[in-house]
Amino acid sequence: MVILKKTYQYRAYPSQSQKLALNHQMYLSKRLYNLLLEQSQKNFKETGKTSTKYDMNRWITEFKKKNPEFNEMYAQVCQNIADRVSKGYKNFFRRIKERKQGKKVRAGFPRFKSYVSSLTYPQSGFKPEKNKVSVSKIGNINFVKHREMEGRIKTFTIKKIKSQEWYITFSVEKEDTPLHTNGKPIIGMDLGLKEYATLSDRTRIPNPRLSNKSIGKIKMAQRRLSNKKKGGRNRKKAKIRLAKVSEHIARQRDDFIHKTSYRLVNSYSFIAYEELKIANMVKNHNLARQITDASWGNFTRYLCYKAESAGCRVVGVNPKNTTRTCSGCGNIQDIELSERTYLCRNCGLEIDRDLNASINILATAGLAGSNASGDAVRPQQKANVVESGTTFGGSR
Ligand SMILES: [Zn+2]
């Protein structure tokens, strides 16, 4: 048995008074977070040790004595805030370790929060019913259950996004039978900007560009915001307007990657992609905007979690030399970013650079000891390349 983890998100409609209560709880959460962080820093300076769960609980009790307002918070929510502080610290130490290993990461201390926009009930204090959820300290909040949940509900989160809309999320766990492969073809996948993805069987998934209409809307909202006086009421309104437009575009993008990942895991039994490319390329400032827009991180995450139930396996591989290697003979040579075609100086192979990379990605996954052996991968893929491919996915 495998435990599958899944989250369900719904749009929520708290009443006016519930919104006030939620905002107040978030305000208390922010204060508690900052107090715990301050205390942890003090503790770290004095003892050189990180704070334990026991320390945190002791501090929370002290804060409650000094400031009875914190008694208005649900105990489990307090616990979650303490966990968030601990997590911030753990990530801080992880980054320091990575720096020592020579990785280029910033290792700043965990920061104080200027606001908290979500509340998490990690175990109890909430009960979902048909179209409402009863939440401790808040009441019955209405939401639109557009699909049923399957599995055991573990945690509940309510959040306010920038456009002032409310969303609730349930995380669930479900037991599942171990993976059976669906017997479909295996594939390497090169992620890019021109094509969102190029597959080693020549399938191309075009990158859905922002429509001129969307770009116009964003520019208009940005212009309006910059014209408003700082701190004014109208500036706040313009900010919300801009957030609404961006969130709308993000939802469209999300829809595209949901559909595309669904189609892929149902068309193939094995998908290999370049793991680190995603993290590396966002650092490139010229392309950063477009890449963030291309949202590869979410795409591969969706692929992974949809793969299980579709009988598909998704594997991230090291991107080293996937672009520079000839997929025909294994020769390694440099190729400029502007060169769209890989022309091998050793065997003369002439092949689209993304297609070449995707074949190498599959080979890398195979050689790395996944379910396909490296030897079996190469010849089979070469044969596939000759066939003409298909194009599916979003519109340009
Ligand atoms: Zn070659």
Side-chain angles (χ1 to χ4, degrees):
M1 282 295 195
V2 193
I3 302 289
L4 281 186
K5 286 184 182 163
K6 209 172 164 183
T7 56
Y8 291 91
Q9 193 178 70
Y10 306 102
R11 177 90 185 261
Y13 297 91
S15 69
Q16 231 26 59
S17 61
Q18 287 172 344
K19 280 182 195 168
L20 285 176
L22 286 163
N23 285 330
H24 183 60
Q25 291 285 331
M26 287 173 185
Y27 163 74
L28 291 174
S29 299
K30 176 195 86 172
R31 282 184 52 200
L32 183 64
Y33 183 96
N34 289 341
L35 281 171
L36 284 173
L37 185 59
E38 196 185 346
Q39 200 68 39
S40 302
Q41 290 185 349
K42 232 195 243 168
N43 184 51
F44 181 65
K45 270 183 204 141
E46 283 165 11
T47 66
K49 282 180 191 159
T50 55
S51 319
T52 61
K53 212 167 182 167
Y54 173 78
D55 293 328
M56 295 265 189
N57 285 335
R58 196 162 42 91
W59 295 332
I60 290 175
T61 317
E62 279 171 24
F63 297 152
K64 278 183 176 172
K65 268 186 210 153
K66 274 187 218 151
N67 196 336
E69 247 193 323
F70 286 126
N71 287 310
E72 293 169 32
M73 291 177 76
Y74 188 67
Q76 289 282 323
V77 174
C78 291
Q79 197 61 65
N80 172 255
I81 297 293
D83 288 345
R84 290 190 204 181
V85 176
S86 301
K87 209 171 165 188
Y89 255 89
K90 259 184 213 146
N91 288 339
F92 167 62
F93 287 114
R94 179 181 46 82
R95 289 193 300 265
I96 287 185
K97 204 173 152 194
E98 283 176 355
R99 263 182 89 98
K100 279 186 188 149
Q101 291 166 349
K103 274 191 200 163
K104 280 183 193 160
V105 286
R106 256 189 254 174
F109 235 50
R111 288 189 198 191
F112 291 98
K113 287 198 185 297
S114 53
Y115 63 90
V116 163
S117 58
S118 69
L119 299 172
T120 294
Y121 291 68
Q123 282 167 24
S124 57
F126 63 94
K127 194 171 171 230
E129 285 158 40
K130 197 163 172 254
N131 271 314
K132 61 186 181 190
V133 52
S134 102
V135 183
S136 178
K137 307 282 181 190
I138 308 291
N140 287 327
I141 299 175
N142 291 325
F143 72 99
V144 180
K145 199 193 250 178
H146 59 273
R147 59 179 176 148
E148 285 298 322
M149 289 185 272
E150 284 173 40
R152 278 185 311 279
I153 298 170
K154 305 298 275 188
T155 71
F156 168 75
T157 298
I158 180 156
K159 69 172 177 187
K160 181 167 72 171
I161 60 173
K162 285 202 177 113
S163 61
Q164 311 292 301
E165 289 170 3
W166 294 83
Y167 286 87
I168 56 173
T169 310
F170 297 95
S171 72
V172 303
E173 279 182 9
K174 205 178 127 192
E175 274 160 11
D176 202 46
T177 42
L179 177 71
H180 294 290
T181 171
N182 60 18
K184 288 171 183 164
I186 60 175
I187 208 87
M189 177 173 77
D190 181 60
L191 296 170
L193 290 173
K194 186 170 162 282
E195 307 291 350
Y196 192 80
T198 303
L199 308 185
S200 53
D201 66 355
R202 288 205 164 194
T203 302
R204 290 175 297 124
I205 303 167
N207 193 2
R209 301 273 169 210
L210 279 176
S211 71
N212 285 336
K213 204 174 143 197
S214 304
I215 293 172
K217 272 187 183 167
I218 283 227
K219 282 192 174 155
M220 172 99 85
Q222 279 171 338
R223 214 162 32 235
R224 276 193 188 144
L225 179 62
S226 63
N227 285 338
K228 301 288 183 267
K229 249 187 254 147
K230 272 193 181 152
R233 220 181 125 73
N234 285 329
R235 188 177 168 87
K236 201 174 171 192
K237 269 193 199 158
K239 241 185 188 164
I240 291 175
R241 171 76 198 139
L242 177 60
K244 274 204 169 130
V245 178
S246 336
E247 281 159 13
H248 175 70
I249 290 164
R251 268 194 291 271
Q252 281 180 331
R253 175 63 58 150
D254 201 52
D255 187 55
F256 163 76
I257 62 177
H258 262 300
K259 283 182 180 150
T260 308
S261 53
Y262 178 82
R263 276 159 120 159
L264 286 181
V265 297
N266 283 292
S267 308
Y268 300 102
S269 66
F270 182 84
I271 301 168
Y273 68 93
E274 282 173 304
E275 203 157 44
L276 299 171
K277 189 174 179 182
I278 297 161
N280 284 343
M281 286 195 70
V282 179
K283 282 185 201 137
N284 185 328
H285 284 288
N286 290 334
L287 298 171
R289 233 204 81 124
Q290 297 172 64
I291 294 161
T292 317
D293 185 41
S295 61
W296 294 334
N298 275 345
F299 179 54
T300 50
R301 237 185 325 276
Y302 290 178
L303 273 179
C304 290
Y305 87 67
K306 285 175 209 275
E308 298 251 9
S309 53
C312 172
R313 197 167 153 221
V314 177
V315 170
V317 305
N318 186 338
K320 197 178 176 220
N321 289 340
T322 47
T323 309
R324 296 170 64 223
T325 306
C326 169
S327 58
C329 70
N331 171 44
I332 294 177
Q333 65 186 43
D334 285 335
I335 174 167
E336 296 285 327
L337 198 63
S338 58
E339 286 177 74
R340 298 305 312 164
T341 305
Y342 186 102
L343 184 59
C344 181
R345 285 193 284 270
N346 184 46
C347 73
L349 176 73
E350 201 177 334
I351 183 171
D352 175 79
R353 77 177 273 145
D354 298 338
L355 181 60
N356 182 57
S358 66
I359 297 168
N360 289 330
I361 290 164
L362 180 58
T364 309
L367 293 171
S370 60
N371 67 351
S373 84
D375 290 342
V377 174
R378 276 183 188 263
Q380 189 191 347
Q381 284 313 304
K382 263 193 237 162
N384 275 355
V385 171
V386 186
E387 295 165 16
S388 71
T390 48
T391 300
F392 68 76
S395 57
R396 264 171 200 278

